Amino acid sequence: MNPAIDATPFLKWAGGKTQLLSKLEQRLPERFNTYHEPFLGSGALFFRLARLGRIERALLTDVNRDLILTYTQVRDNVEGLIAALEEHRERHDREHFYAARDRFNGDGLDPTSRAAIFIYLNKTCFNGLYRVNRRGHYNVPMGRYESPSVVNPDRMRSASAALQGVSLRAEDFTQPYSSRPQPIRVSLRAEDFTRALAHVAPGDFVYLDPPYVPLSATANFTAYDRDGFRFEDQRRLAAEVRRLDGLGAKVMLSNHATDELIALYDGFGVEILQATRMINRQSDRRGKHTAEVLVRNYP
């Protein structure tokens, strides 16, 4: 196994799994080959596995191209990204937020600048949401924060080390990515989950944390791209889980514990866990417990 790396998520993310990590950790398979996470989001479980030193190879994917670009910049150019974020932190106010959002929805940004705006908007927008309209434009308004934490250099450097799969010293980050010690194979790709899961082999471990089934007609925060994630996509995902089970891969999936969703996974191991729901249009409903389902095809 690779040495443990003290990394935690550097993004806020609706439905992120930080609060459930201890329960997920207790339910990990004892052994696995490549780790796959096709709905990457904040990558909470990936970073926990890196801290445990349990990843030899990983394929991290998401349909959100800007999310994957941001992870790539954290891995390859973390010092340049930190410097760009420091500028956003110093200039943060309502005018700067909406100007940055307009730039993000336009063209001509270099990868580091685009990734910096992605993180800046994530840290300062309403509830850390990522939502786009029918034109594919990010449209989340500014959040109400006294002093948002736009950049945490130590956390980002630790995340960079985890994405490289090596334990780095502070001075190593000044060296070009290509000249650093050979990393474990952590691949980052922007693609649909069906393409991502085509790479899974027998003995691999797949963690699936898809956009959640909404609990009400007004609770759908899952428009990560212009097409959204419909219940038909949940059915396609369930079919993929059955294919992976037949292939001999180990699969764990989390979602809201609705009867309709649970029925898709009849025959698999199903547990109901309690989680705290922090995102709701009505502030008095935030922080309430909600039931989540955890599906596994292994003991």
Side-chain angles (χ1 to χ4, degrees):
M1 293 296 177
N2 286 281
I5 298 169
D6 188 18
T8 54
F10 60 90
L11 292 171
K12 298 161 60 178
W13 208 254
K17 288 297 165 292
T18 300
Q19 62 174 303
L20 287 177
L21 277 178
S22 61
K23 296 178 181 179
L24 297 181
E25 184 180 332
Q26 294 166 8
R27 292 158 175 81
L28 293 172
E30 289 187 13
R31 297 180 181 84
F32 57 88
N33 297 327
T34 300
Y35 174 71
H36 300 259
E37 192 167 345
F39 301 95
L40 183 54
S42 69
L45 187 56
F46 165 74
F47 288 121
R48 175 59 64 90
L49 288 168
R51 293 185 73 178
L52 295 172
R54 294 205 57 191
I55 293 181
E56 294 288 349
R57 295 179 300 278
L59 177 57
L60 308 177
T61 57
D62 200 285
V63 72
N64 187 325
R65 292 185 176 276
D66 285 310
L67 178 69
I68 296 301
L69 174 126
T70 299
Y71 270 87
T72 302
Q73 286 297 303
V74 169
R75 184 192 66 185
D76 298 358
N77 185 28
V78 71
E79 294 303 322
L81 193 54
I82 290 170
L85 283 167
E86 291 286 6
E87 292 187 20
H88 286 294
R89 181 184 61 79
E90 292 172 1
R91 299 177 60 191
H92 174 63
D93 58 19
R94 183 179 179 82
E95 182 179 357
H96 181 70
F97 175 90
Y98 287 104
R101 195 178 75 169
D102 288 344
R103 289 183 65 205
F104 186 75
N105 288 327
D107 299 317
L109 287 172
D110 63 86
T112 301
S113 297
R114 188 165 188 83
I117 292 179
F118 183 97
I119 297 173
Y120 168 67
L121 295 176
N122 173 261
K123 297 292 188 178
T124 57
C125 74
F126 174 75
N127 271 345
L129 293 175
Y130 186 92
R131 183 188 64 201
V132 297
N133 59 23
R134 292 180 179 273
R135 294 185 296 169
H137 289 174
Y138 179 85
N139 64 356
V140 182
M142 189 174 82
R144 298 178 180 177
Y145 305 107
E146 290 285 327
S147 55
S149 177
V150 172
V151 56
N152 183 325
D154 289 341
R155 178 172 291 186
M156 293 190 64
R157 290 177 182 125
S158 295
S160 182
L163 291 164
Q164 294 177 49
V166 292
S167 296
L168 296 176
R169 301 163 300 174
E171 56 266 29
D172 291 329
F173 288 102
T174 64
Q175 302 300 316
Y177 172 69
S178 60
S179 68
R180 297 177 196 162
Q182 277 296 309
I184 57 172
R185 287 173 282 178
V186 180
S187 298
L188 292 160
R189 298 184 185 181
E191 55 190 15
D192 175 78
F193 70 86
T194 52
R195 288 180 175 270
L197 294 177
H199 305 293
V200 177
D204 288 355
F205 173 43
V206 184
Y207 174 56
L208 300 167
D209 186 29
Y212 272 24
V213 175
L215 295 177
S216 69
T218 61
N220 192 351
F221 294 102
T222 60
Y224 299 134
D225 65 6
R226 69 187 71 192
D227 298 322
F229 201 88
R230 304 171 299 275
F231 198 79
E232 179 55 38
D233 297 307
Q234 302 285 358
R235 292 193 182 94
R236 289 197 300 126
L237 181 58
E240 281 292 301
V241 170
R242 295 188 183 279
R243 182 185 68 80
L244 294 173
D245 182 53
L247 182 68
K250 300 168 185 179
V251 183
M252 181 163 65
L253 173 141
S254 50
N255 211 312
H256 277 148
T258 68
D259 292 341
E260 191 176 23
L261 190 284
I262 291 172
L264 296 178
Y265 295 97
D266 182 49
F268 291 101
V270 172
E271 289 183 84
I272 306 300
L273 306 176
Q274 293 298 315
T276 304
R277 191 178 181 204
M278 297 311 298
I279 292 183
N280 196 297
R281 291 179 186 272
Q282 300 179 33
S283 59
D284 62 345
R285 295 187 180 179
R286 296 176 201 146
K288 302 294 184 182
H289 288 294
T290 185
E292 299 205 4
V293 64
L294 193 68
V295 177
R296 289 183 294 163
N297 72 333
Y298 58 90

XYZ file of all heavy atoms in Angstrom, residues 43-114:
594
model
N -15.139 14.307 -3.725
C -14.138 13.241 -3.601
C -13.862 12.824 -2.170
O -12.767 12.348 -1.863
N -14.850 12.945 -1.275
C -14.606 12.702 0.149
C -14.093 11.290 0.418
O -13.154 11.096 1.200
C -15.883 12.957 0.958
N -14.686 10.288 -0.241
C -14.233 8.916 0.027
C -12.859 8.668 -0.583
O -12.020 7.976 0.017
C -15.247 7.897 -0.508
C -14.950 6.444 -0.135
C -14.823 6.249 1.370
C -16.011 5.498 -0.701
N -12.582 9.226 -1.756
C -11.246 9.090 -2.336
C -10.186 9.639 -1.390
O -9.156 8.990 -1.130
C -11.162 9.815 -3.682
C -9.748 10.029 -4.148
C -8.995 8.980 -4.651
C -9.149 11.280 -4.033
C -7.668 9.171 -5.043
C -7.838 11.480 -4.425
C -7.098 10.419 -4.931
N -10.423 10.837 -0.854
C -9.429 11.429 0.041
C -9.287 10.628 1.333
O -8.187 10.516 1.883
C -9.782 12.888 0.328
C -9.552 13.808 -0.840
C -10.593 14.545 -1.387
C -8.295 13.929 -1.403
C -10.383 15.387 -2.474
C -8.066 14.765 -2.494
C -9.117 15.497 -3.029
N -10.384 10.045 1.831
C -10.268 9.209 3.018
C -9.439 7.958 2.709
O -8.580 7.563 3.509
C -11.659 8.810 3.518
C -11.660 7.814 4.693
C -10.926 8.337 5.914
N -11.539 9.502 6.500
C -12.476 9.484 7.451
N -12.909 8.319 7.925
N -12.968 10.607 7.931
N -9.647 7.336 1.564
C -8.860 6.164 1.185
C -7.385 6.529 1.017
O -6.501 5.737 1.360
C -9.403 5.557 -0.108
C -10.745 4.828 0.023
C -11.331 4.532 -1.341
C -10.595 3.548 0.827
N -7.117 7.738 0.502
C -5.728 8.190 0.392
C -5.108 8.343 1.774
O -3.941 7.981 1.990
C -5.665 9.510 -0.379
N -5.880 8.877 2.717
C -5.376 9.019 4.091
C -5.096 7.658 4.717
O -4.172 7.511 5.522
C -6.394 9.773 4.949
C -6.578 11.225 4.553
C -7.512 11.942 5.505
N -6.869 12.185 6.784
C -7.445 12.827 7.788
N -8.679 13.278 7.666
N -6.799 13.024 8.918
N -5.892 6.664 4.357
C -5.692 5.323 4.890
C -4.574 4.569 4.173
O -4.190 3.476 4.587
C -6.992 4.514 4.772
C -8.178 5.018 5.601
C -9.442 4.245 5.228
C -7.891 4.884 7.091
N -4.068 5.138 3.078
C -3.026 4.477 2.301
C -3.527 3.262 1.550
O -2.766 2.316 1.308
N -4.802 3.278 1.133
C -5.407 2.087 0.556
C -5.526 2.119 -0.964
O -6.058 1.182 -1.551
C -6.795 1.861 1.159
C -6.764 1.525 2.648
C -7.981 0.736 3.044
N -8.116 -0.480 2.268
C -9.212 -1.251 2.277
N -10.238 -0.925 3.024
N -9.271 -2.347 1.554
N -5.065 3.174 -1.614
C -5.238 3.268 -3.064
C -3.918 3.010 -3.779
O -2.924 3.693 -3.538
C -5.804 4.638 -3.469
C -7.244 4.790 -2.959
C -5.767 4.815 -4.974
C -7.895 6.089 -3.337
N -3.925 2.027 -4.667
C -2.792 1.796 -5.568
C -3.055 2.441 -6.928
O -2.162 3.024 -7.526
C -2.566 0.287 -5.747
C -2.127 -0.427 -4.478
C -0.703 -0.094 -4.091
O 0.007 0.510 -4.910
O -0.309 -0.430 -2.953
N -4.289 2.311 -7.399
C -4.699 2.913 -8.670
C -6.114 3.447 -8.499
O -6.925 2.857 -7.767
C -4.685 1.894 -9.813
C -3.306 1.352 -10.141
C -3.370 0.333 -11.275
N -4.217 -0.799 -10.941
C -3.835 -1.851 -10.220
N -2.597 -1.893 -9.720
N -4.657 -2.834 -9.958
N -6.424 4.549 -9.194
C -7.762 5.126 -9.098
C -8.141 5.765 -10.428
O -7.297 6.343 -11.122
C -7.835 6.166 -7.984
N -9.416 5.642 -10.774
C -9.993 6.332 -11.922
C -11.121 7.203 -11.388
O -12.141 6.699 -10.923
C -10.520 5.348 -12.962
C -11.221 5.965 -14.180
C -10.297 6.943 -14.904
C -11.701 4.873 -15.140
N -10.911 8.517 -11.425
C -11.863 9.485 -10.894
C -12.502 10.222 -12.062
O -11.797 10.842 -12.866
C -11.155 10.478 -9.973
C -10.292 9.867 -8.855
C -9.588 10.965 -8.072
C -11.123 8.986 -7.948
N -13.819 10.151 -12.145
C -14.504 10.731 -13.299
C -15.744 11.500 -12.854
O -16.286 11.289 -11.774
C -14.931 9.642 -14.305
O -15.760 8.685 -13.641
C -13.726 8.929 -14.883
N -16.201 12.381 -13.733
C -17.439 13.122 -13.519
C -17.846 13.715 -14.853
O -16.987 14.041 -15.686
C -17.240 14.236 -12.480
C -18.552 14.704 -11.872
O -19.308 15.427 -12.557
O -18.839 14.341 -10.713
N -19.149 13.850 -15.070
C -19.626 14.443 -16.313
C -19.353 15.944 -16.349
O -19.341 16.551 -17.428
C -21.142 14.151 -16.494
C -21.979 14.970 -15.519
C -21.578 14.367 -17.933
N -19.098 16.556 -15.201
C -18.835 17.986 -15.110
C -17.383 18.267 -15.519
O -16.446 18.032 -14.752
C -19.099 18.466 -13.678
C -19.019 19.967 -13.521
O -18.209 20.624 -14.172
N -19.835 20.515 -12.637
N -17.199 18.811 -16.704
C -15.849 19.031 -17.234
C -15.067 20.053 -16.404
O -13.850 19.934 -16.240
C -15.923 19.471 -18.700
C -16.424 18.365 -19.622
C -16.369 18.774 -21.086
N -16.768 17.651 -21.923
C -15.950 16.680 -22.305
N -14.670 16.718 -21.929
N -16.372 15.681 -23.055
N -15.751 21.061 -15.897
C -15.050 22.070 -15.099
C -14.599 21.496 -13.767
O -13.561 21.902 -13.232
C -15.937 23.292 -14.895
C -16.038 24.144 -16.143
O -14.979 24.463 -16.720
O -17.157 24.486 -16.554
N -15.346 20.573 -13.219
C -14.920 19.914 -11.987
C -13.630 19.128 -12.227
O -12.677 19.224 -11.447
C -16.017 18.980 -11.479
C -15.691 18.185 -10.216
C -15.609 19.104 -9.005
C -16.733 17.095 -9.990
N -13.586 18.357 -13.305
C -12.394 17.560 -13.608
C -11.217 18.461 -13.957
O -10.077 18.202 -13.555
C -12.691 16.563 -14.736
C -13.750 15.550 -14.290
C -11.417 15.835 -15.167
C -13.361 14.739 -13.055
N -11.467 19.543 -14.683
C -10.391 20.497 -14.967
C -9.824 21.063 -13.675
O -8.610 21.228 -13.523
C -10.913 21.632 -15.846
C -9.908 22.761 -16.098
C -9.723 23.018 -17.577
C -10.327 24.047 -15.392
N -10.692 21.343 -12.707
C -10.245 21.895 -11.430
C -9.392 20.891 -10.669
O -8.331 21.233 -10.130
C -11.458 22.333 -10.593
O -12.176 23.351 -11.309
C -11.030 22.857 -9.237
N -9.830 19.627 -10.613
C -9.017 18.597 -9.968
C -7.657 18.470 -10.658
O -6.623 18.282 -9.998
C -9.732 17.252 -10.012
C -10.623 16.992 -8.827
C -11.945 17.428 -8.822
C -10.156 16.313 -7.706
C -12.774 17.193 -7.739
C -10.972 16.073 -6.618
C -12.286 16.510 -6.639
O -13.102 16.287 -5.562
N -7.645 18.571 -11.978
C -6.392 18.445 -12.722
C -5.445 19.587 -12.373
O -4.237 19.385 -12.207
C -6.671 18.413 -14.227
O -7.557 17.324 -14.524
C -5.378 18.206 -15.015
N -5.988 20.793 -12.245
C -5.155 21.935 -11.871
C -4.650 21.821 -10.434
O -3.514 22.196 -10.136
C -5.939 23.234 -12.062
C -6.116 23.640 -13.510
C -4.792 23.928 -14.187
O -4.021 24.772 -13.743
N -4.510 23.217 -15.272
N -5.486 21.291 -9.534
C -5.024 21.065 -8.164
C -3.864 20.084 -8.170
O -2.872 20.261 -7.452
C -6.181 20.552 -7.277
C -5.671 20.058 -5.922
C -7.216 21.648 -7.074
N -3.937 19.073 -8.980
C -2.864 18.080 -9.064
C -1.594 18.656 -9.701
O -0.487 18.466 -9.184
C -3.334 16.876 -9.882
C -2.323 15.732 -9.951
C -2.734 14.711 -10.995
N -2.676 15.276 -12.345
C -3.072 14.632 -13.444
N -3.593 13.406 -13.349
N -2.982 15.202 -14.622
N -1.759 19.373 -10.819
C -0.618 19.734 -11.650
C -0.038 21.119 -11.364
O 1.126 21.371 -11.658
C -1.022 19.691 -13.130
C -1.443 18.305 -13.584
O -1.383 17.365 -12.772
O -1.847 18.162 -14.753
N -0.847 22.039 -10.846
C -0.389 23.427 -10.712
C -0.987 24.055 -9.457
O -1.593 25.127 -9.511
C -0.792 24.227 -11.962
C -0.233 25.646 -11.943
O 0.809 25.903 -11.335
N -0.931 26.571 -12.587
N -0.831 23.409 -8.327
C -1.507 23.862 -7.121
C -0.998 25.219 -6.640
O -1.771 26.040 -6.134
C -1.400 22.796 -6.003
C 0.012 22.696 -5.447
C -2.394 23.078 -4.893
N 0.282 25.525 -6.811
C 0.799 26.812 -6.348
C 0.229 27.967 -7.171
O -0.123 29.016 -6.630
C 2.317 26.821 -6.379
C 2.960 25.861 -5.390
C 2.534 26.112 -3.952
O 2.389 27.289 -3.556
O 2.345 25.123 -3.218
N 0.137 27.785 -8.489
C -0.473 28.819 -9.324
C -1.944 29.014 -8.997
O -2.457 30.141 -9.012
N -2.620 27.919 -8.676
C -4.032 27.989 -8.315
C -4.228 28.710 -6.986
O -5.133 29.540 -6.837
C -4.586 26.565 -8.247
C -6.100 26.381 -8.196
C -6.784 27.090 -9.348
C -6.431 24.889 -8.221
N -3.368 28.416 -6.017
C -3.447 29.094 -4.718
C -3.250 30.602 -4.893
O -3.980 31.416 -4.309
C -2.412 28.514 -3.741
C -2.821 27.093 -3.326
C -2.244 29.406 -2.516
C -1.743 26.342 -2.558
N -2.275 30.995 -5.714
C -2.013 32.423 -5.937
C -3.224 33.112 -6.568
O -3.597 34.228 -6.172
C -0.784 32.591 -6.828
N -3.860 32.450 -7.548
C -5.044 33.027 -8.189
C -6.206 33.152 -7.205
O -6.944 34.145 -7.214
C -5.445 32.174 -9.385
N -6.353 32.171 -6.331
C -7.423 32.215 -5.340
C -7.193 33.296 -4.295
O -8.149 33.905 -3.799
C -7.575 30.848 -4.671
C -8.302 29.805 -5.507
C -8.113 28.414 -4.912
C -9.790 30.137 -5.607
N -5.942 33.544 -3.945
C -5.643 34.620 -3.010
C -6.115 35.965 -3.574
O -6.641 36.814 -2.840
C -4.144 34.668 -2.717
C -3.606 33.491 -1.907
C -4.005 33.555 -0.435
O -4.790 34.447 -0.047
O -3.514 32.695 0.329
N -5.972 36.151 -4.878
C -6.455 37.385 -5.507
C -7.968 37.493 -5.394
O -8.511 38.569 -5.094
C -6.017 37.434 -6.972
C -4.520 37.602 -7.173
C -4.159 37.822 -8.623
O -5.061 38.214 -9.404
O -2.996 37.597 -8.989
N -8.674 36.382 -5.654
C -10.135 36.407 -5.517
C -10.533 36.692 -4.067
O -11.501 37.433 -3.823
C -10.728 35.071 -5.970
C -10.733 34.884 -7.451
N -11.487 35.654 -8.307
C -10.067 33.987 -8.242
C -11.305 35.254 -9.555
N -10.439 34.250 -9.548
N -9.832 36.095 -3.126
C -10.151 36.316 -1.706
C -10.025 37.798 -1.338
O -10.883 38.355 -0.644
C -9.217 35.489 -0.826
C -9.492 35.634 0.673
C -8.479 34.866 1.496
N -7.117 35.343 1.279
C -6.611 36.440 1.829
N -7.359 37.191 2.630
N -5.373 36.804 1.575
N -8.970 38.442 -1.816
C -8.741 39.842 -1.488
C -9.783 40.758 -2.138
O -10.127 41.807 -1.572
C -7.339 40.255 -1.943
C -6.216 39.583 -1.149
C -4.854 39.854 -1.730
O -4.779 40.585 -2.759
O -3.852 39.335 -1.181
N -10.296 40.364 -3.283
C -11.218 41.232 -4.022
C -12.683 40.883 -3.784
O -13.573 41.542 -4.316
C -10.907 41.126 -5.524
C -9.510 41.570 -5.911
C -9.261 41.354 -7.393
N -10.193 42.102 -8.215
C -10.323 41.933 -9.536
N -9.595 41.025 -10.166
N -11.191 42.649 -10.221
N -12.963 39.861 -2.970
C -14.327 39.362 -2.841
C -15.310 40.420 -2.340
O -15.132 41.024 -1.296
C -14.369 38.162 -1.896
C -15.777 37.693 -1.624
N -16.589 37.196 -2.611
C -16.512 37.681 -0.470
C -17.764 36.876 -2.098
N -17.747 37.164 -0.800
N -16.346 40.625 -3.128
C -17.536 41.370 -2.741
C -18.597 41.025 -3.786
O -18.358 40.199 -4.678
C -17.291 42.893 -2.659
C -16.798 43.520 -3.960
O -16.968 42.902 -5.045
O -16.240 44.632 -3.918
N -19.759 41.610 -3.663
C -20.853 41.262 -4.562
C -20.497 41.546 -6.024
O -20.753 40.712 -6.907
C -22.109 42.045 -4.166
C -23.342 41.707 -5.013
C -24.565 42.483 -4.555
N -25.718 42.173 -5.374
C -26.490 41.100 -5.191
N -26.237 40.270 -4.192
N -27.522 40.892 -5.984
N -19.900 42.703 -6.285
C -19.538 43.059 -7.661
C -18.535 42.062 -8.234
O -18.666 41.620 -9.385
C -18.969 44.474 -7.699
C -18.608 44.949 -9.101
C -18.060 46.367 -9.112
O -18.021 46.999 -8.034
O -17.674 46.830 -10.201
N -17.528 41.706 -7.445
C -16.511 40.776 -7.940
C -17.109 39.393 -8.176
O -16.751 38.722 -9.163
C -15.356 40.684 -6.951
C -14.259 39.771 -7.404
N -13.424 40.072 -8.465
C -13.873 38.531 -6.962
C -12.572 39.081 -8.652
N -12.826 38.131 -7.760
N -18.003 38.936 -7.303
C -18.614 37.615 -7.473
C -19.326 37.525 -8.824
O -19.103 36.564 -9.586
C -19.602 37.336 -6.335
C -20.359 36.041 -6.505
C -19.867 34.850 -5.986
C -21.564 36.009 -7.199
C -20.562 33.646 -6.157
C -22.269 34.810 -7.374
C -21.761 33.636 -6.848
N -20.178 38.489 -9.131
C -20.960 38.395 -10.363
C -20.106 38.647 -11.603
O -20.366 38.072 -12.670
C -22.172 39.322 -10.301
C -23.233 38.770 -9.361
C -23.420 39.302 -8.095
C -23.992 37.667 -9.733
C -24.361 38.766 -7.221
C -24.942 37.117 -8.871
C -25.116 37.667 -7.621
O -26.034 37.115 -6.771
N -19.055 39.445 -11.477
C -18.123 39.607 -12.596
C -17.383 38.307 -12.861
O -17.184 37.907 -14.024
C -17.141 40.738 -12.295
N -16.974 37.625 -11.781
C -16.293 36.333 -11.936
C -17.237 35.302 -12.539
O -16.828 34.499 -13.385
C -15.767 35.857 -10.582
N -18.489 35.314 -12.126
C -19.458 34.367 -12.684
C -19.659 34.616 -14.172
O -19.750 33.666 -14.968
C -20.792 34.481 -11.936
C -21.738 33.306 -12.196
C -23.028 33.422 -11.417
N -23.919 34.424 -12.006
C -25.198 34.578 -11.644
N -25.714 33.828 -10.673
N -25.942 35.501 -12.216
N -19.717 35.868 -14.579
C -19.841 36.192 -16.008
C -18.624 35.705 -16.784
O -18.752 35.171 -17.897
C -20.015 37.696 -16.200
C -21.388 38.196 -15.772
O -22.309 37.351 -15.619
O -21.539 39.412 -15.567
N -17.429 35.894 -16.225
C -16.212 35.416 -16.889
C -16.237 33.894 -17.020
O -15.843 33.341 -18.041
C -14.967 35.847 -16.113
C -14.647 37.326 -16.178
C -13.359 37.612 -15.430
N -12.213 36.968 -16.057
C -11.099 36.631 -15.427
N -10.984 36.848 -14.124
N -10.102 36.068 -16.076
N -16.694 33.226 -15.972
C -16.768 31.767 -15.979
C -17.707 31.272 -17.073
O -17.457 30.231 -17.705
C -17.242 31.275 -14.614
C -17.224 29.786 -14.451
C -16.034 29.098 -14.268
C -18.409 29.057 -14.473
C -16.014 27.724 -14.118
C -18.403 27.683 -14.320
C -17.199 27.013 -14.140
N -18.788 32.001 -17.327
C -19.753 31.609 -18.350
C -19.345 32.042 -19.749
O -20.036 31.739 -20.720
C -21.137 32.186 -18.018
C -21.786 31.473 -16.841
O -21.595 30.280 -16.649
N -22.561 32.210 -16.053
N -18.211 32.724 -19.857
C -17.720 33.160 -21.155
C -16.610 32.263 -21.678
O -16.456 31.119 -21.253
N -15.837 32.779 -22.595
C -14.744 32.031 -23.209
C -13.416 32.733 -22.929
O -13.373 33.870 -22.467
C -14.946 31.915 -24.724
C -16.231 31.174 -25.082
O -16.503 30.138 -24.435
O -16.945 31.630 -25.995
N -12.321 32.019 -23.241
C -11.009 32.647 -23.223
C -10.228 32.516 -21.939
O -9.122 33.047 -21.850
N -10.749 31.823 -20.931
C -10.001 31.643 -19.693
C -8.976 30.524 -19.845
O -9.272 29.477 -20.419
C -10.953 31.286 -18.542
C -11.849 32.401 -17.990
C -12.855 31.804 -17.011
C -11.013 33.480 -17.312
N -7.772 30.742 -19.326
C -6.800 29.656 -19.295
C -7.209 28.673 -18.193
O -8.008 29.007 -17.301
C -5.399 30.199 -19.041
C -5.276 30.864 -17.686
O -5.007 30.152 -16.693
O -5.474 32.091 -17.608
N -6.688 27.437 -18.219
C -7.141 26.412 -17.268
C -7.008 26.809 -15.796
O -7.914 26.541 -15.000
C -6.260 25.210 -17.610
C -5.936 25.379 -19.054
C -5.780 26.854 -19.241
N -5.882 27.452 -15.429
C -5.704 27.826 -14.023
C -6.707 28.882 -13.601
O -7.298 28.797 -12.510
C -4.273 28.323 -13.775
O -3.346 27.291 -14.131
C -4.068 28.688 -12.309
N -6.933 29.882 -14.441
C -7.899 30.937 -14.117
C -9.310 30.368 -14.011
O -10.083 30.748 -13.118
C -7.859 32.041 -15.179
O -6.594 32.666 -15.214
N -9.645 29.448 -14.919
C -10.990 28.857 -14.885
C -11.179 28.020 -13.621
O -12.226 28.077 -12.970
C -11.223 28.012 -16.131
C -12.660 27.524 -16.263
C -12.985 27.010 -17.655
N -14.412 26.737 -17.748
C -15.347 27.637 -18.012
N -14.996 28.893 -18.210
N -16.617 27.320 -18.070
